[in-house]
Amino acid sequence: MQFFKDISLSAFVAGFVAVLVGFTSSVAIVFQAAQGFGATPAQITSWIWALGLGMGLCSLLPSLVLRKPVMVAWSTPGAAVLATAGVAGGFSMGEAVGAFMVCSVLVVLVGVTGLLERVADRIPSEIASALLAGVLTRFGIQTFAALQTALPLVLLMVGSYLVARRLLPRYAVVITLAAAIAWVAASGQVAWSMGPMQLAMPVLVAPQWSVAAAVSLAIPLFVVTMASQNLPGIAVIKASGYELPVSKLITLTGVVSLLLAPFGAFALNFSAITAAICMGPEAHEDRKRRYTAAASCGALYLVIGLFGAVVTGVLTSFPKELVVAIAGIALLSTIGNGLASSLKNETHREAALITFLVTLSGVTLMGIGSAFWGVVAGSFALFVQQYGRSTSSAMGS
């Protein structure tokens, strides 16, 4: 199989880092969302099973078929919306499942019509690169902010990375992660909390249809998933130079979400941060082989789904400083490339800078994250500056 010829240690580690970062940074929010609807422990396990299965299949299979990195994750802002609305609205688990299915149908419609892809195609490449840099720079900042609470660990990781970049650049992230794990294990900073070694069992919840749940849960979940997740995800794909059937993949996420919604899959979408890890040069020096990083990530998500309690315990055992530091270090090259690409065109430079700063600010308006508002602000600035001059320069590529 071609995959086994193309896979490398750096690609697999990129996939592992993507899972480590994506899972540990937001799994607590998913738990809160499930608990907001009165989920039992068995139902919470079912949510992880459904989400792991959905993310795994939607990342692994398209990556192998297309031989290009396809990264799908759960909707973290969507989970935050559910965690808040679930408690405030007093919705049952059945009503929540019904809302998940309504949201999935809306996602399918967007994919079939190609609406989001057409919007994304109108975004200039400099704006897309600035969006990417803005989303990722926060992780870079967190790497050095972690010096306040884990000075020896972060210094070790940064030092290991710089030395490895000089001597073995292809394995810089691999060596950095290995050094960090060895350090925290030797110093007793790993809080192992593995559950019993058994398969996670899905729990079926019949949907209940409610107008209130559709308005309070389904529509906000759909909006934030599209604006705060899929749009930045497309920007990452575009900035990384990959041509993917975006609309078909959005349709796929909607269909899979619809099928797995009764088991707890609330929303699947393109990832941005973890996609940048697997699509960047740290994953593989040959961009044509970086699909193996995304496929590895998908395979690991399947393992999470099948052995939810055990894998959750392992991944959440590492200190949070290790997780944020390895994410920031793995994204350094991509952040640099995004900034360079966004600022290279002088006519688009100011608009790109506005996009970058608004995105980096983390501002949330009307429940929609800064990534969306960064694109809006940058596009508006570009329109004001370029309107009436040259249509081609105003729209970019």
Side-chain angles (χ1 to χ4, degrees):
M1 185 178 178
Q2 187 64 37
F3 170 80
F4 294 106
K5 296 179 181 179
D6 292 340
I7 187 70
S8 68
L9 179 60
S10 61
F12 177 79
V13 170
F16 174 77
V17 170
V19 171
L20 178 65
V21 173
F23 191 83
T24 59
S25 64
S26 58
V27 68
I29 301 175
V30 175
F31 287 167
Q32 291 173 12
Q35 291 166 351
F37 300 114
T40 64
Q43 289 173 329
I44 293 175
T45 300
S46 179
W47 277 44
I48 300 301
W49 175 87
L51 291 166
L53 187 64
M55 293 186 297
L57 292 176
C58 289
S59 299
L60 175 62
L61 297 182
S63 294
L64 293 177
V65 171
L66 300 172
R67 290 190 183 175
K68 296 179 181 179
V70 176
M71 293 289 290
V72 171
W74 62 47
S75 175
T76 299
V81 167
L82 295 175
T84 302
V87 174
F91 298 104
S92 68
M93 183 63 74
E95 289 176 310
V97 167
F100 301 165
M101 297 180 75
V102 171
C103 175
S104 299
V105 171
L106 294 175
V107 172
V108 171
L109 290 175
V110 169
V112 171
T113 59
L115 179 61
L116 189 63
E117 184 173 10
R118 288 198 298 272
V119 171
D121 285 342
R122 304 287 291 179
I123 299 175
S125 60
E126 292 85 357
I127 299 295
S129 295
L131 170 63
L132 171 62
V135 169
L136 303 184
T137 297
R138 282 179 294 187
F139 277 80
I141 292 173
Q142 288 173 9
T143 296
F144 298 99
L147 287 166
Q148 298 180 72
T149 54
L151 180 62
L153 172 62
V154 178
L155 286 179
L156 170 69
M157 294 177 70
V158 174
S160 298
Y161 175 77
L162 293 175
V163 172
R165 282 288 291 177
R166 174 74 181 271
L167 302 177
L168 294 168
R170 183 175 178 181
Y171 300 103
V173 174
V174 177
I175 293 171
T176 302
L177 180 61
I181 292 176
W183 175 272
V184 297
S187 57
Q189 298 180 49
V190 182
W192 301 111
S193 58
M194 292 184 294
M197 189 67 179
Q198 60 186 22
L199 291 173
M201 298 301 294
V203 177
L204 176 66
V205 176
Q208 297 177 13
W209 310 109
S210 163
V211 174
V215 173
S216 300
L217 299 179
I219 294 177
L221 178 61
F222 168 73
V223 171
V224 298
T225 297
M226 288 293 113
S228 300
Q229 291 284 144
N230 275 330
L231 188 59
I234 295 173
V236 171
I237 295 169
K238 186 175 181 179
S240 300
Y242 288 101
E243 294 290 335
L244 293 175
V246 168
S247 294
K248 291 181 180 179
L249 292 172
I250 290 176
T251 303
L252 175 65
T253 62
V255 170
V256 173
S257 296
L258 182 62
L259 295 175
L260 293 175
F263 304 100
F266 53 89
L268 300 174
N269 46 247
F270 288 129
S271 64
I273 296 165
T274 54
I277 294 174
C278 290
M279 293 181 180
E282 301 294 348
H284 203 293
E285 57 187 2
D286 185 353
R287 58 180 293 103
K288 293 182 179 179
R289 296 186 179 184
R290 292 175 194 167
Y291 77 93
T292 58
S296 298
C297 179
L300 291 171
Y301 274 135
L302 288 176
V303 174
I304 287 177
L306 293 175
F307 299 96
V310 177
V311 180
T312 299
V314 172
L315 292 180
T316 56
S317 297
F318 296 109
K320 63 179 182 180
E321 292 87 355
L322 184 153
V323 175
V324 298
I326 195 63
I329 288 171
L331 292 168
L332 282 176
S333 295
T334 306
I335 294 170
N337 292 336
L339 285 172
S341 298
S342 65
L343 301 177
K344 66 181 180 180
N345 187 340
E346 187 173 351
T347 60
H348 291 174
R349 186 173 298 165
E350 199 165 58
L353 186 58
I354 289 173
T355 300
F356 171 74
L357 292 174
V358 173
T359 303
L360 181 60
S361 72
V363 63
T364 299
L365 301 173
M366 296 182 288
I368 300 175
S370 61
F372 174 77
W373 298 116
V375 172
V376 171
S379 299
F380 178 74
L382 189 62
F383 173 79
V384 172
Q385 293 177 331
Q386 300 294 325
Y387 180 73
R389 292 184 180 179
S390 168
T391 302
S392 60
S393 65
M395 297 314 302
S397 58

